[in-house]
Amino acid sequence: MNEFLPQGWGTQGARGIVFVVAGPSGAGKSSVIEGVLARNQGLHFSVSATTRRPRPGEVHGRDYYFVSENQFEEMIRRGELLEWTTYQGLRYGTPKAELQRPLREQRDVLVNVEVQGALALKRAELKHPVVLIFLVPPSWDSLLERIQARGTESPRTVKERLAIAQQEVQYIPEFQYLVVNDVLEEAVRRVEAIMLAERARLIPLESGPS
Ligand code: ADP
Ligand code: 5GP
């Protein structure tokens, strides 16, 4: 706490902030988040649970908790998930512990979810600020190119992901920030700039985040 601050005022950076990066599959969320994490040691990445199979290079506990359908149901039943969704027939959910543990230590958290998950986290009344960032590629053509370049989808799932993307972009006005992922390093810097600004935001301490 800075001694120039009037009584009852602080900056958001004094508590943990949840930065949610959402946007269409192929926008570059994982790539941008990886870049931000590499340059910001104290940040915690919220590892989601999913019933999808690991892609080459993905590691259990680092990229996702890869679980069975039964295990996922069990997590819901025990109240361990903050929000969850079905995406292309597969389950994805944010474990409560992935946010609660770091936030308790005033550490900021980065979350990678689809758009409805982002809006659910905003509504979840976490007692910590939740900042919604929508990531897009420069164009629809580049979105298609990137999904195809990743090489993890069949032609059918590529088509489905594009159809989902068309629904998702309708929710852009519900987000606080739009970041265009043209050159990856620049997109990483833009997300970092948002993080810096949000940490400096003045808030009245008694009423908590807006
Ligand atoms: P998402 O997590 O949003 O689904 P990924 O991070 O997996 O997206 O990126 C999708 C593909 O696009 C990957 O092959 C990735 O290497 C590539 N990619 C990500 N950002 C850029 C960029 N700025 N320019 C070119 N290709 C990119
Ligand atoms: P992918 O299979 O490409 O890793 O992820 C598919 C979609 O699921 C992406 O839009 C990703 O952001 C989203 N997603 C990943 N984890 C979660 C989660 O915990 N909750 C929600 N709602 N969406 C998630």
Side-chain angles (χ1 to χ4, degrees):
M1 196 61 60
N2 183 279
E3 51 190 41
F4 289 91
L5 274 165
Q7 184 94 41
W9 285 82
T11 53
Q12 284 198 140
R15 60 218 299 186
I17 304 175
V18 181
F19 294 98
V20 183
V21 180
S25 172
K29 298 182 294 295
S30 306
S31 308
V32 169
I33 286 173
E34 194 183 313
V36 173
L37 289 172
R39 288 159 44 90
N40 297 269
Q41 300 300 323
L43 271 177
H44 177 77
F45 174 63
S46 168
V47 181
S48 294
T50 184
T51 59
R52 138 161 115 56
R53 297 264 180 84
R55 291 180 184 142
E58 284 184 332
V59 175
H60 178 81
R62 185 193 69 185
D63 300 289
Y64 279 107
Y65 297 110
F66 296 100
V67 298
S68 67
E69 187 73 38
N70 282 344
Q71 286 170 316
F72 197 94
E73 286 298 329
E74 190 61 17
M75 291 177 91
I76 295 175
R77 209 182 52 75
R78 290 204 215 106
E80 290 174 8
L81 299 181
L82 199 53
E83 62 75 37
W84 62 91
T85 193
T86 303
Y87 183 95
Q88 292 195 307
L90 299 164
R91 320 295 300 275
Y92 295 83
T94 308
K96 286 180 183 167
E98 288 295 315
L99 268 62
Q100 284 168 350
R101 252 187 301 115
L103 288 175
R104 220 179 288 136
E105 299 161 10
Q106 273 76 51
R107 285 171 70 198
D108 295 342
V109 183
L110 262 182
V111 187
N112 175 351
V113 287
E114 48 68 62
V115 169
Q116 292 306 323
L119 299 178
L121 289 174
K122 186 82 186 171
R123 286 192 304 265
E125 297 187 6
L126 292 175
K127 299 204 183 91
H128 286 261
V130 176
V131 178
L132 300 187
I133 303 169
F134 201 104
L135 190 74
V136 287
S139 65
W140 283 102
D141 282 351
S142 59
L143 182 66
L144 177 60
E145 276 166 25
R146 285 181 194 177
I147 302 177
Q148 287 174 334
R150 195 171 56 200
T152 54
E153 310 301 319
S154 68
R156 184 178 61 82
T157 61
V158 168
K159 240 179 123 190
E160 277 173 20
R161 284 185 176 227
L162 283 177
I164 295 170
Q166 280 172 354
Q167 300 295 318
E168 288 184 317
V169 296
Q170 320 244 342
Y171 291 92
I172 289 176
E174 310 219 14
F175 281 62
Q176 285 144 294
Y177 293 98
L178 182 80
V179 170
V180 179
N181 176 20
D182 37 23
V183 176
L184 182 60
E185 284 69 29
E186 286 175 20
V188 169
R189 302 286 155 89
R190 287 180 195 129
V191 171
E192 286 180 327
I194 292 166
M195 298 175 93
L196 281 177
E198 286 291 338
R199 288 182 190 129
R201 189 188 286 276
L202 280 160
I203 49 162
L205 292 177
E206 59 270 33
S207 63
S210 55

